[in-house]
Amino acid sequence: MENRKLILSFETSCDETSIAVIENGDTILSNIVATQIDSHQRFGGVVPEVASRHHIEQITHCLNEALETAKVDYNDLSAVAVTYGPGLVGSLLIGVTAAKAVAFAHDLPLVPINHMAGHIYAARFVDQFKYPQMALLVSGGHTEIVYIESEYDFKVLGETRDDAAGEAYDKIGRVLGVNYPAGKTIDEWAHEGHDTFNFPRAMEKDDNYDFSFSGLKSSFINTVHNAEQREEKLDTKDLAASFQQSVIDVLASKTERALADYPVKQLVLAGGVAANQGLRDRIEKDLNQKFSNVQLLMAPLKLCGDNAAMIGAAGQVAFDHKKRTDMSLNAVPGLSF
Amino acid sequence: MKILSIDTSNAPLAIALVEDDQLVAETTLNVTKNHSVFLMPVIEQLMKMASWTPAELNRIVVAKGPGSYTGVRIAVTTAKTLASTLKIELVGVSSLAVMAKDPAELTNLPVIAIFNARRNTVFTGGYQMEQGKLVSFIEDAHMELSELIEKINEKQQPVLIVGDILPEFKNQFETNSKFITLGNEQSSFPSAFQLGLMGAKINPVSDIDSFVPDYLRITEAEMNWQKSHPGELKKSYVREV
């Protein structure tokens, strides 16, 4: 029992309160996730003050449940890991504050974790990591291509210049009458429709790894509004398919460009939008055809959304790399790699 | 009984260690509102100087609001997590009562504490000493300043006002009531020692997990939603997945 490596991890960057216990960086002993989606659906999106209030309601209950489910006590733990950014400041603060209190109370090392590094480590539950490695991170708040030359050494190659991919899904979802988070429904509709509208593929041919989704969003909204003015009914499923095809084409082509320029052993696909079946299928097909020597690690579906298990997996590696913080740790809403 | 008391409801940060009604250590910072950065380091330092270990603590006493939402949440999150993880007692005290206690004892006047809640509204509560105990005579609430002045005038008794006495508030108090004495700057800081003393005499909360701040105001988003969805209230909006 002496040699158990156990990380207690906290994740509260947006609208999920999550606490987990991870053993050896790759085994989930517990992963409690309390989601606030039902609350924010009232408002059509996450309201920061409401999110903060829900986090404080949940935090100690999730903590106790995580330890009980894992059947471990504080004495067994090696360290406490916590997401300190990026995210909503009020939400981040609940996790950061609670993690500091636990670390102080039990004299445990405190390990600060970047939420985006956490998303990458969701794929650690699929297989061991090999370097160099590439990651395509797609979520409601972020769209990034990250190059990881060696363990825990992250370099952002490209990112979105405006909306994140998931944000674009939510915005066009609103136009189609789909409540936040719209990704799953749009993905389902897309599979039943066809790309008939041929929306723009922004920056697809540009010589960089950046993204832009606001032009696509505007083009989509204009198309729908113009049809409404003509009192013409457009096929919702074709609209969804056309939108999704544009998003996927851009994500896939930029990822290909990065893989061609930076040879890697693995590609990690993670983040909330990585649960999108259309995207998973496309990346898998591309890799098989064009980069058959690159291993694809897709975050498990249940770990694509925000969760503390991925923070614990990243936490173990950060801990081994001697990453530490003291009791003055603050939330950093705009944190980047 | 070893007590750690914490108040970060407003700009000042106040922390004390209190043992058997004696002050062991106390710090008040009025340098910043960045409570997240300073709260735990100050607790750590005070405990070290007092040679207390976390495991020796018996009770956490926290100012539970009203006040700055973020400030109150930092104190309450710290307090409830410490109490839960150390399996010790947790007591919540009104942040307005903390502010009122010292002046009420010193002057023997009924004291009304106010925190600025913007748009000419305040979080406020009235407290006075009765047989050595601080009791409430105006329940903590969020109200228009004019409503508070009306309440004071109805009582027809002199009161002392402490807390966020902004210039525009001062003007309205002086113009609209003859019962009001305004407190000075010294009476506008919370005392963590007083908080610890008060918390020593209150029964601890029975369920730490469900302990949340007293915001005294629902969020704007929820207020608008309730207006457009009358009667539609769910018990819980959060579920485990």
Side-chain angles (χ1 to χ4, degrees), chain A residues 55-116:
Chain A
H55 282 302
I56 200 168
E57 291 163 13
Q58 298 295 322
I59 194 78
T60 55
H61 171 72
C62 289
L63 171 62
N64 292 323
E65 204 175 334
L67 291 162
E68 277 163 30
T69 306
K71 297 188 174 62
V72 299
D73 198 1
Y74 291 104
N75 304 327
D76 307 322
L77 300 175
S78 323
V80 176
V82 61
T83 301
Y84 72 111
L88 300 170
V89 64
S91 291
L92 288 165
L93 276 172
I94 304 300
V96 166
T97 303
K100 286 200 285 188
V102 169
F104 170 71
H106 304 285
D107 200 17
L108 288 163
L110 183 61
V111 183
I113 300 295
N114 179 316
H115 178 74
M116 302 311 288

Side-chain angles (χ1 to χ4, degrees), chain A residues 6 13 34 37 72 80 82 89 137 166 183 190 192 201 207 269 274 285 287 299 304 310 312 324:
Chain A
L6 292 174
S13 64
I37 282 183
V72 299
V80 176
V82 61
V89 64
L137 302 177
E192 296 166 25
R201 270 77 171 152
D207 189 18
L269 176 61
K285 193 177 116 213
L287 237 54
C304 283
M310 67 188 195
R324 300 287 186 278

Side-chain angles (χ1 to χ4, degrees), chain A residues 35 56 60 65 74 100 106, chain B residues 36 80 85 209 239-240:
Chain A
T35 181
I56 200 168
T60 55
E65 204 175 334
Y74 291 104
K100 286 200 285 188
H106 304 285
Chain B
S36 171
K80 78 185 278 193
T85 198
D209 288 350
R239 61 189 155 85
E240 274 179 27

Side-chain angles (χ1 to χ4, degrees), chain B residues 111-166:
Chain B
V111 173
I112 291 175
I114 59 169
F115 298 153
N116 181 18
R118 281 177 285 211
R119 296 182 203 160
N120 213 40
T121 69
V122 288
F123 295 121
T124 185
Y127 293 88
Q128 60 195 356
M129 296 304 293
E130 272 175 23
Q131 286 145 4
K133 273 185 71 181
L134 190 74
V135 295
S136 158
F137 71 95
I138 296 176
E139 203 181 322
D140 288 5
H142 174 235
M143 64 179 83
E144 304 261 343
L145 196 72
S146 56
E147 194 187 336
L148 174 62
I149 294 172
E150 254 173 60
K151 278 182 192 287
I152 294 166
N153 288 341
E154 276 167 24
K155 294 220 181 271
Q156 307 242 335
Q157 273 178 3
V159 296
L160 174 67
I161 296 197
V162 298
D164 294 339
I165 304 170
L166 309 183

